[in-house]
Each structure stands twice: as C-alpha cells, then as structure tokens.
Amino acid sequence: MLLALRLRDFVIVDTLEVDFGPGFTVLTGETGAGKSILIDALQLTLGARGDSGVVREGASRADLVAEFSASPALDAWLAERELAGDPGTVMLRRIVEADGRSRALVNGHPATVAQLREIGEQLVDIHGQHAAQSMLRSGGQRDLLDAFAQAQPLAGEVAADFANLRGARERTATALVASRELALERERLQWQAGELAQLNLDPGEWDQLNEEQKRLAHAAALLEGARSAAEVLSDNDDSLTGRLQSVLQRLRPLAVIDARLADAVSMLDSACIQADEAASALSDYAERVDLDPQRLAQVEQRIGQAFSLARKLRLAPESLADTLADLQARLADLDAAQDLDALRAIERDAQNRFEQSAARLSAIRRKAADKLARGVSEHLQTLGMAGARFVVAVEPADASGAGLDRIEFQIAGHAGAQARSLAKVASGGELSRIGLAIAVLAAQANPVPTLIFDEADAGVGGAVGDAIGLLMRTLGAARQVLCVTHLPQVAARAHQHLSVSKEARDGHTVSRIATLDRGTRIDEVARMLAGSEITATTRKHARELLAAS
C-alpha cells in the first residue's frame, strides 16, 4: 500500500509530506486547493508523462517521492532488475527539471519511466474523475469491459493479428494490381539476364582477358627483346659477362697488392653473378613466350563481345558479371512477389490467426459482460437507482483491430423498461454512479493493494453519497482506498481524513495538507455541508454523520 508521499516544488506545492494509513482515506478541500494535485503527483511517480509545467513557478525542478510497501513478488521483480532496496518497501522518485527533462529512480537506482509504469501496475489502480465520460464512447465502453475481464493482453494480441492480416491483404492486392507492371519488368530483366548469361562472363574474367590480350599482342616483341638481351649478356664472344670476367682477372692480382681495390673487385664479382642470372632468366622467359595468333584472336573476339554487350546495356564491361548476379536476384524477388498463391496462403494463415484470437476475446467479453451487468445492476440498487438494470451488449461487428465485437452499455431505468443506449438516456449523475459501480467491480477484479478514486462520486449527493461512502469503506476493509471527494457523506465514512487547503505566501499561492483529528474533522465535514458559513446546526449534522460511521 501507499505509505507516504513527499513533494517539493510541484505545481502550487512548495514542500509537502503526507503519511497514509490502511483502510479508507478521503482527501477534501475547497475547489482549487490542490486535492487532485496529489493524485497527479502520484501518477508521475508511477510513470505518467511529465513536462516543465509541473515545476512550481520560480523553482528549478520538481522532486516527487512515493513510498509503498512491497509484496515478496514485487521484491523479487525488483531484485531481478537490480532495483532492490529495503525488503518489503519500494521508493519511487521522479525529478522533473524546469526545461522539461526528467529522471526516474527506484530505491535510489536509476530507472526508466517504463519500469515505473510496470511497478505502478502492481501497486495502484487509479479511477479518474473523467472515467464516466469514457462510457459514452464505444471504444471507451470496450476498454472498460476488457479491463474488467482482464483481457487487455489478449486484446493487444487481437490488434496485432488484425494488423498482420491487413498487411497480408495489402501485399496481395498490390501484387494483383501490379501484376502487369511486374510482368513487363520481369520481361525486361529476363532479356538482359539472357544476354549476359549467353556471354557467360565469369567474375574477374574481364581483367584476365585484358591482361592476356596485352601479353599475346606483344608476344613477338617480348620474345625478340628477351633473346637480344640474353645474347648481349652472355651468348656471344663479346658478351657483357665475358668482359666483366676479363676485368676481374686483371684486378684480382692488383687487389692483393693494394687492399683498397678489394671493394671494387667485390662489386664487380657480384655484378658478374647477377648478369649471369639475368641472362639465364631471359633465356627461360624466351622459351616460354607463347606466339599463339589463334588464341590472341579468340581473346580479342571475347573482349569485343563484352564491349558490344556493355554498350548495348549501357554498362561498364567490368560490371557485366556482377550485373548478371543482381538481375538474377531481382528476378527471384519478382517471382516471389508475383507468387499469388503463396501470398494468398499467407493471407489465409493471417485470417485464421486473427479469427481464432478474436473468437477467444469475444468469448471472454461475453462472459465478463454478463458478470459486469449483474454486478453494476446490484450496486445501482443502493446508489439511488432502484429498479435500474444495466446491460452490456456484445454484438457481432465487422473485423477490426478491436476484434469482432461491438460493445454497447445500455440502461433500463426501471423494472420492465427496455434497455436503451447509455449515451442516449443516462444523465450526468447516473453516469457517475454507473461509472463508480464499474470502477468498484474492476477494482475488485484487480489484485492491486491500493485503489484511488479521483472525484468518482461527482454528480451525486444525499443518500446516494452515503451509499457511496459505505461502499468505499467496505472496500477499505480489504484494500487501501483513497478518494478525492466533495461529498460530506463520503468523507464521514473514511478511516482517515486529509484536508487540502491553499494560502498566499510571498506573493505565491501554495497548497497545504493536514491530517484531521476528531474536532477538526467535524469542522471540515460541516464546511462541506454548509459552505463557508459554519453554524451550530451544521456542526451537529456533521457530528451525526461521523457518529453514524
């Protein structure tokens, strides 16, 4: 349950610390005092969106901390995510800077807003003051029924299945519409691929052909040059190596006499060896040079074919082989895209998945609709609508992301009357009472420990207010219940009473909150009964209300 809420520089709150107890707690105060601000602050700590507007004027940031007791399951959840604190408690903190940036912490550990929301779903169920208005919308009625049935995960699955089905239908339709264009595209690509396949140029072959053509075209010059060089080096009487050997023979004896000639002799000796090796390499090369005019003609013919096809297709010759691979891949994609049988099979599978999940959701909705209708009808008998009958109609509808159902809330005002659409016949007060009954039933179906009602009793009063207060107190016997209310009958039923007020300070309006004792509680209930002028009569009435609780 919620143990404490601490606020600093939030809207019109400068500093505020509130401790909460078990049972049924009411928050009361004059309009604009800041009752709902506390609920807004709590929602921020539970992961609601925050912006710079929540920072009190003149402050640098708003700082909000909510402390809850934690179940063993929540302790384990926190430990798995390295967010654990003291066992049995969880501290949620939200800091919103004046520039709109915000930070979230769980037990002092940095956390994401999504993690705050996940924690909040295990701790608190909030029913806002505008919940009744959502019952006037078909989508809102469906959401309320799904929440009561705890079918939101399945509803999300149905929405995803329908989106998948819609995508499959669109792909099939696109393939049908584009079949002629795709056929023309495939025809063009097949022609290009056929031309390239006929040439059958391998990857890297273009470079190899050019290298071979260059070598074959200059084979005669290469042979003549190699032979001539080899002859100059060693293959005649006046060869270079012979003359080097002659020079060496004259210098070697002289180097014995003068050692300064030794380096020259060494270099000439090395030159003689290298000249012999070069002559040998040239002779070997000359023996391997291929004078093959027929092969040269074949190579030049293939190069010409490649040039011709490249010009025809407006491509670079070196890209022909890669282009063939790209065309073949594109043709495979087109074949897959035009495989209408496969696309229709995918669409049928998507249709079956959607129908199965939607049928499961419809069955859950129908079962929950009967239970919700009975429960709301029972509560309405004590909420000033004796004889009223609430109906949740679940009718077949065209397939959509919401499933195969149309949900309509209906009300019969008295016994024997025909149920009619809630949006057409219910008054504001009736909507509030029906909304409260749904909220109470949904809360009973939801195992979270803390229930919060933000002016869910708007639009009612008198004996109905007393019934609402009794209902809240009954809920408070098993859960922690917090209620923002303007009804003295509801306030009188609370186990704990918090009063919110505002005052001017240093030119700014600030909000204050106080836990009321017996005496101050009488004054507050009297104020709620009579307004600003409290009399002995209103105090007496307030005492009677509190005594009846």
Side-chain angles (χ1 to χ4, degrees):
M1 72 175 190
L2 177 63
L3 301 176
L5 185 64
R6 295 192 291 274
L7 312 180
R8 181 180 295 276
D9 295 326
F10 178 71
V11 191
I12 61 171
V13 174
D14 52 0
T15 59
L16 184 63
E17 294 189 14
V18 189
D19 294 324
F20 296 90
F24 175 32
T25 299
V26 291
L27 290 87
T28 65
E30 295 180 356
T31 301
K35 300 184 298 295
S36 293
I37 286 177
L38 294 178
I39 309 302
D40 295 339
L42 184 59
Q43 288 180 311
L44 265 179
T45 66
L46 297 173
R49 292 185 61 184
D51 55 38
S52 59
V54 305
V55 181
R56 189 170 68 88
E57 185 178 354
S60 60
R61 67 182 188 179
D63 195 340
L64 305 87
V65 178
E67 183 180 359
F68 292 86
S69 57
S71 65
L74 180 55
D75 278 339
W77 188 94
L78 294 168
E80 287 175 4
R81 291 154 181 81
E82 299 183 348
L83 297 173
D86 294 334
T89 62
V90 58
M91 192 85 69
L92 307 181
R93 186 179 182 189
R94 190 79 181 274
I95 299 170
V96 182
E97 305 289 345
D99 61 5
R101 293 179 295 118
S102 72
R103 288 182 289 144
L105 298 100
V106 175
N107 292 323
H109 305 289
T112 65
V113 172
Q115 287 174 322
L116 288 184
R117 285 196 291 268
E118 287 186 68
I119 295 169
E121 289 170 0
Q122 302 178 58
L123 293 172
V124 178
D125 189 8
I126 298 177
H127 300 271
Q129 57 182 304
H130 303 297
Q133 297 303 315
S134 67
M135 293 189 299
L136 299 179
R137 298 181 292 103
S138 176
Q141 294 173 359
R142 183 183 63 247
D143 291 342
L144 284 169
L145 177 60
D146 287 347
F148 175 75
Q150 297 184 20
Q152 297 100 324
L154 180 55
E157 181 183 334
V158 169
D161 287 343
F162 182 76
N164 186 44
L165 172 59
R166 184 170 54 191
R169 286 173 173 170
E170 289 174 353
R171 287 189 293 272
T172 302
T174 299
L176 285 169
V177 171
S179 59
R180 176 175 171 76
E181 296 177 1
L182 291 175
L184 293 173
E185 174 72 2
R186 190 203 293 109
E187 183 179 343
R188 181 182 67 82
L189 295 177
Q190 283 178 330
W191 170 76
Q192 292 180 345
E195 294 280 323
L196 289 167
Q198 185 176 355
L199 177 64
N200 195 27
L201 195 68
D202 294 330
E205 185 181 349
W206 172 256
D207 292 336
Q208 296 171 3
L209 287 171
N210 278 277
E211 184 178 344
E212 186 177 2
Q213 187 273 341
K214 187 185 300 182
R215 186 174 63 253
L216 289 171
H218 295 86
L222 293 170
L223 178 60
E224 174 61 27
R227 286 177 175 173
S228 174
E231 184 178 348
V232 170
L233 288 173
S234 63
D235 291 345
N236 58 44
D237 295 338
D238 193 28
S239 67
L240 179 58
T241 55
R243 296 175 70 180
L244 286 171
Q245 289 291 347
S246 177
V247 172
L248 279 170
Q249 289 174 2
R250 293 179 61 188
L251 286 177
R252 280 195 178 100
L254 298 176
V256 175
I257 300 170
D258 190 345
R260 288 177 295 177
L261 293 172
D263 289 343
V265 170
S266 177
M267 287 186 285
L268 286 169
D269 196 20
S270 177
C272 190
I273 293 171
Q274 291 181 3
D276 279 336
E277 291 176 351
S280 177
L282 288 168
S283 296
D284 290 343
Y285 175 80
E287 290 177 2
R288 293 195 306 271
V289 170
D290 188 10
L291 291 174
D292 189 349
Q294 184 176 1
R295 175 58 185 164
L296 176 60
Q298 291 174 348
V299 170
E300 289 182 338
Q301 181 184 16
R302 188 151 176 77
I303 289 174
Q305 290 172 342
F307 261 122
S308 177
L309 183 57
R311 189 164 49 249
K312 185 176 184 180
L313 300 180
R314 297 183 180 180
L315 298 169
E318 60 269 21
S319 70
L320 293 177
D322 291 338
T323 299
L324 175 58
D326 292 342
L327 289 174
Q328 290 170 336
R330 174 62 178 151
L331 282 168
D333 291 341
L334 288 177
D335 288 340
Q338 278 201 299
D339 190 349
L340 292 177
D341 289 339
L343 289 173
R344 289 188 177 110
I346 292 171
E347 183 180 336
R348 284 194 300 272
D349 288 343
Q351 179 80 33
N352 289 336
R353 285 196 301 274
F354 169 71
E355 289 177 351
Q356 290 171 7
S357 60
R360 293 199 309 273
L361 181 59
S362 294
I364 291 173
R365 282 171 171 169
R366 287 189 172 88
K367 184 177 179 179
D370 291 338
K371 185 177 180 181
L372 179 62
R374 288 195 304 270
V376 171
S377 296
E378 290 174 4
H379 280 303
L380 292 182
Q381 308 314 304
T382 62
L383 293 176
M385 296 180 66
R389 179 170 54 91
F390 183 71
V391 176
V392 181
V394 182
E395 303 292 342
D398 293 336
S400 71
L404 296 170
D405 310 307
R406 182 177 66 85
I407 312 298
E408 184 179 62
F409 289 177
Q410 300 172 352
I411 189 74
H414 53 83
Q418 182 180 357
R420 299 176 60 190
S421 173
L422 194 68
K424 295 180 179 178
V425 299
S427 66
E430 289 170 334
L431 282 175
S432 294
R433 279 172 273 181
I434 295 168
L436 177 61
I438 292 174
V440 169
L441 289 168
Q444 291 171 335
N446 190 345
V448 297
T450 299
L451 309 176
I452 297 177
F453 297 89
D454 186 7
E455 295 192 21
D457 55 8
V460 298
V464 176
D466 188 60
I468 292 172
L470 182 59
L471 186 60
M472 295 286 183
R473 189 177 180 91
T474 302
L475 276 176
R479 312 276 189 90
Q480 182 189 44
V481 178
L482 276 65
C483 177
V484 175
T485 184
H486 66 285
L487 293 179
Q489 296 87 349
V490 174
R493 293 284 186 177
H495 298 103
Q496 181 183 28
H497 192 152
L498 304 176
S499 175
V500 184
S501 61
K502 61 182 179 179
E503 61 184 46
R505 177 179 294 180
D506 299 329
H508 297 283
T509 299
V510 294
S511 185
R512 290 285 176 265
I513 190 165
T515 300
L516 302 184
D517 57 20
R518 177 71 180 177
T520 54
R521 192 173 180 188
I522 291 172
D523 289 342
E524 175 63 9
V525 173
R527 182 199 63 78
M528 297 174 73
L529 285 165
S532 58
E533 186 176 347
I534 301 174
T535 65
T537 301
T538 55
R539 281 195 174 88
K540 178 182 178 183
H541 189 187
R543 290 190 189 95
E544 291 172 349
L545 283 176
L546 290 167
S549 300

